[in-house]
Amino acid sequence: MGETFLRSPLRTPRGRFLVSLPPRGEFLLGTPELVGQTSDQGFCIPVQEMVAVRLGAASEAKQVLDPRGDENCFTVFFVRREKQERWSLGSLEFTTPPQSRMAIRWVNALQTWICHHGVTRPKSLLVFINPAGGRKRAMEIYQDQVASLFALAGIHVHVVETCRADEARDYIMQQDLCSFDGLVSVGGDGTFNELMHALIDRTQQKAGRLEGDVDMELLAPRLRIGIIPAGSTDWDSQPLDVCSIRHNGKRLRYSVSLIGYGFYGDVVSASERYRWMGPVRYTYAGAKAVLGNQSYKGTVEFQVAGTEAANPRDQTRCRSGCLVCSESSKHLLAQCEEEKLSEPEGEWQKVQGRFLAVNVTCMSSACPKSPEGLSPCAHLADGTADLILVHECSMFSFLRHLNRHTNCSDQFDLPFVSVHRVRAVRFTSAKLEDYEDGEPAVQERKGLCGGICQQEEPVSCWSCDGETLSHTDISIRVHGRLIHLFARGIEQVPMGGSC
């Protein structure tokens, strides 16, 4: 591996430090050279979080891919953590003694360890940019904030700017992707969903998997997916559970976030009529749905997760290095090795009644309006989803449930709410002909607006990651760790809260 251990005094803009690279090359350590007379603290930069190391000053290294500047200095570019779990690109310039050639030795050693510890780093990426996404700033965001970062990290990039619907899907399904290590979505949620659906479908198609075989476990794609903008760009690999949704055996969509019937389905569907209002249309549609307080009759069947799965109310949180996801991955790998192609094991249960909301989520689904999420203890990669049933109740009771999403109160600790950790779900809506004798098709409302808010309907609709499904009777199955993102789990519990 060449020279991998170094220790020497170096000058930085923060002062002189004794800088060392330990034998295993995990960290770049710096301690103030003058002990007891320090004006600054030391530093510790993990090699895994180094983006690049370049010979020359920071300004030179940013502008030139292979700078030949001052051979007496080198610059390390690394991930710098900001407030509110944000990351930015940091840099630290080091100056070595003149004519010592120490800068070249440091650059070579650090590059060796970056390669050694960065085996999962991509070398070639296929980037899809939706110019209409990101409030029509997708191309600007990529060129100003992302392209230079990829170049600095030495990543080869092929960019496809989409001009029509399904163009990214057609490209993924038809082109040779062997030379790429991953796909990158630059746009809104729709762009990511298009890439995810195409990548999963391509993998099954290449393997000869039949579309109608509902019991066949899906194969995980080789390529990872990156999302910009949607958090930090880094080099880790985060597995993610995916739900497949079917109607009468035909696949409708995949979901990585929320599948909602009733309240959330109504909000998404109604908001389409008010697109001219912009983002506020969701608040408006939500207020109308709350006041309308519409419940829907149906049957929910679900396959509970085995005893090895955590409880959806056990107060655990899915964080980087999550033990629940780690243990679940061993169970999922064992199943794959045994080639179990039948449905996952677990007892089936049935609940019938009227529901204000039926929600299925593979993750916490946290957002600004719900900081802890719809299901705070859901996990990203444990092979399960959380099923949340909100039974018929008064408008004020439902509003109390929704309000608990905005604070630290337990939104499940209510008599009309139940939550289950599941591996599969089947939902059957009550059609007009399914109502009992004497029960009217139009139910009496418990909201404030009565028939003023919206017209009564016998069924609601499903919302899948923000898209409305065309069928109400569906089956859902969780596929553990089906895709991988260029991402890292949340590193710590948010600070500053009272919960």
Side-chain angles (χ1 to χ4, degrees), residues 438-449:
E439 183 180 5
V442 178
Q443 296 292 312
E444 181 180 355
R445 294 183 184 271
K446 295 186 178 182
L448 292 179
C449 296

Side-chain angles (χ1 to χ4, degrees), residues 85 315-319 361 363-378 386 388 404-412 490 492-495 497-499:
E85 299 178 11
Q315 299 305 309
T316 63
R317 296 294 189 271
C318 191
R319 298 290 184 257
T361 180
M363 59 177 65
S364 68
S365 294
C367 65
K369 293 183 181 298
S370 178
E372 287 291 302
L374 294 180
S375 188
C377 301
D386 285 355
I388 306 166
R404 290 190 175 190
H405 289 81
T406 65
N407 52 48
C408 298
S409 300
D410 186 356
Q411 61 261 45
F412 304 137
I490 299 174
Q492 60 182 359
V493 178
M495 302 298 289
S498 59
C499 51

Side-chain angles (χ1 to χ4, degrees), residues 8-20 29-34 40-43 92 94:
S8 63
L10 301 174
R11 190 176 74 251
T12 77
R14 295 162 49 184
R16 294 183 61 84
F17 289 84
L18 181 61
V19 183
S20 62
L29 303 174
T31 56
E33 191 174 26
L34 299 177
D40 199 355
Q41 296 180 343
F43 60 83
L92 187 57
F94 298 88

Side-chain angles (χ1 to χ4, degrees), residues 258-409:
L258 173 65
I259 312 168
Y261 181 84
F263 176 74
Y264 288 104
D266 290 349
V267 169
V268 172
S269 177
S271 67
E272 288 300 306
R273 299 194 292 269
Y274 310 111
R275 295 191 68 88
W276 57 271
M277 298 175 66
V280 75
R281 68 184 185 271
Y282 295 109
T283 302
Y284 177 72
K288 289 189 66 176
V290 169
L291 294 174
N293 197 48
Q294 177 62 59
S295 62
Y296 300 94
K297 189 175 182 180
T299 301
V300 183
E301 300 172 271
F302 53 93
Q303 189 177 39
V304 296
T307 55
E308 79 283 352
N311 186 288
R313 297 182 65 183
D314 62 5
Q315 299 305 309
T316 63
R317 296 294 189 271
C318 191
R319 298 290 184 257
S320 181
C322 176
L323 293 179
V324 173
C325 293
S326 178
E327 289 299 318
S328 298
S329 69
K330 298 176 183 178
H331 178 72
L332 293 171
L333 289 173
Q335 283 187 327
C336 293
E337 292 174 357
E338 295 173 10
E339 297 183 349
K340 293 184 178 180
L341 303 181
S342 59
E343 288 192 357
E345 299 178 357
E347 175 190 357
W348 279 91
Q349 298 181 12
K350 178 190 292 188
V351 178
Q352 292 178 301
R354 300 192 66 87
F355 304 96
L356 279 168
V358 178
N359 301 320
V360 179
T361 180
C362 282
M363 59 177 65
S364 68
S365 294
C367 65
K369 293 183 181 298
S370 178
E372 287 291 302
L374 294 180
S375 188
C377 301
H379 290 267
L380 294 173
D382 66 343
T384 71
D386 285 355
L387 169 66
I388 306 166
L389 302 177
V390 183
H391 298 261
E392 186 179 43
C393 62
S394 70
M395 185 202 70
F396 293 106
S397 293
F398 184 56
L399 194 58
R400 182 184 178 195
H401 167 68
L402 292 179
N403 185 60
R404 290 190 175 190
H405 289 81
T406 65
N407 52 48
C408 298
S409 300

Side-chain angles (χ1 to χ4, degrees), residues 423-445:
R423 298 194 186 278
V425 177
R426 292 195 293 259
F427 179 82
T428 307
S429 60
K431 308 297 191 302
L432 283 173
E433 61 270 18
D434 295 333
Y435 283 88
E436 299 175 359
D437 294 339
E439 183 180 5
V442 178
Q443 296 292 312
E444 181 180 355
R445 294 183 184 271

Side-chain angles (χ1 to χ4, degrees), residues 44-323:
C44 176
I45 305 175
V47 171
Q48 283 187 321
E49 297 187 357
M50 291 183 184
V51 177
V53 56
R54 292 288 184 267
L55 191 65
S59 57
E60 294 177 275
K62 284 184 178 179
Q63 297 172 5
V64 185
L65 292 179
D66 185 22
R68 301 283 183 179
D70 187 354
E71 293 189 354
N72 293 325
C73 67
F74 66 96
T75 303
V76 174
F77 297 90
F78 59 92
V79 172
R80 176 163 44 205
R81 282 157 173 74
E82 308 284 356
K83 295 181 179 179
Q84 298 180 340
E85 299 178 11
R86 294 182 181 273
W87 291 7
S88 65
L89 180 65
S91 65
L92 187 57
E93 181 183 324
F94 298 88
T95 302
T96 63
Q99 310 301 322
S100 66
R101 297 188 61 83
M102 283 296 298
I104 297 176
R105 293 171 59 189
W106 273 105
V107 169
N108 291 337
L110 287 171
Q111 288 179 338
T112 297
W113 282 118
I114 289 174
C115 292
H116 177 77
H117 292 295
V119 292
T120 61
R121 294 191 181 196
K123 296 180 176 61
S124 180
L125 293 174
L126 176 59
V127 178
F128 291 93
I129 302 177
N130 177 7
R135 298 183 179 180
K136 298 184 178 181
R137 295 183 59 243
M139 180 59 75
E140 176 187 346
I141 289 173
Y142 178 77
Q143 292 178 340
D144 293 348
Q145 303 180 28
V146 182
S148 59
L149 182 62
F150 285 163
L152 181 64
I155 299 174
H156 170 74
V157 175
H158 179 70
V159 176
V160 176
E161 183 177 1
T162 59
C163 301
R164 58 175 174 82
D166 293 329
E167 182 176 353
R169 176 181 176 82
D170 293 342
Y171 192 103
I172 293 170
M173 296 297 293
Q174 298 169 10
Q175 299 297 320
D176 183 5
L177 306 182
C178 293
S179 61
F180 297 106
D181 299 315
L183 311 179
V184 176
S185 163
V186 186
D189 293 343
T191 308
F192 165 73
N193 275 309
E194 185 175 340
L195 265 62
M196 179 186 70
H197 279 74
L199 188 58
I200 295 176
D201 286 346
R202 173 191 171 94
T203 303
Q204 313 319 307
Q205 184 184 86
K206 293 290 184 181
R209 297 294 177 100
L210 300 178
E211 166 66 24
D213 193 345
V214 297
D215 293 334
M216 181 70 71
E217 185 59 67
L218 298 179
L219 292 179
R222 174 185 66 86
L223 300 179
R224 287 174 283 171
I225 302 177
I227 307 172
I228 300 170
S232 304
T233 300
D234 62 73
W235 318 116
D236 282 1
S237 181
Q238 171 63 54
L240 208 61
D241 295 336
V242 177
C243 286
S244 61
I245 302 102
R246 293 178 178 269
H247 171 73
N248 291 337
K250 181 180 180 181
R251 195 266 299 167
L252 300 179
R253 284 187 70 86
Y254 301 112
S255 169
V256 295
S257 182
L258 173 65
I259 312 168
Y261 181 84
F263 176 74
Y264 288 104
D266 290 349
V267 169
V268 172
S269 177
S271 67
E272 288 300 306
R273 299 194 292 269
Y274 310 111
R275 295 191 68 88
W276 57 271
M277 298 175 66
V280 75
R281 68 184 185 271
Y282 295 109
T283 302
Y284 177 72
K288 289 189 66 176
V290 169
L291 294 174
N293 197 48
Q294 177 62 59
S295 62
Y296 300 94
K297 189 175 182 180
T299 301
V300 183
E301 300 172 271
F302 53 93
Q303 189 177 39
V304 296
T307 55
E308 79 283 352
N311 186 288
R313 297 182 65 183
D314 62 5
Q315 299 305 309
T316 63
R317 296 294 189 271
C318 191
R319 298 290 184 257
S320 181
C322 176
L323 293 179

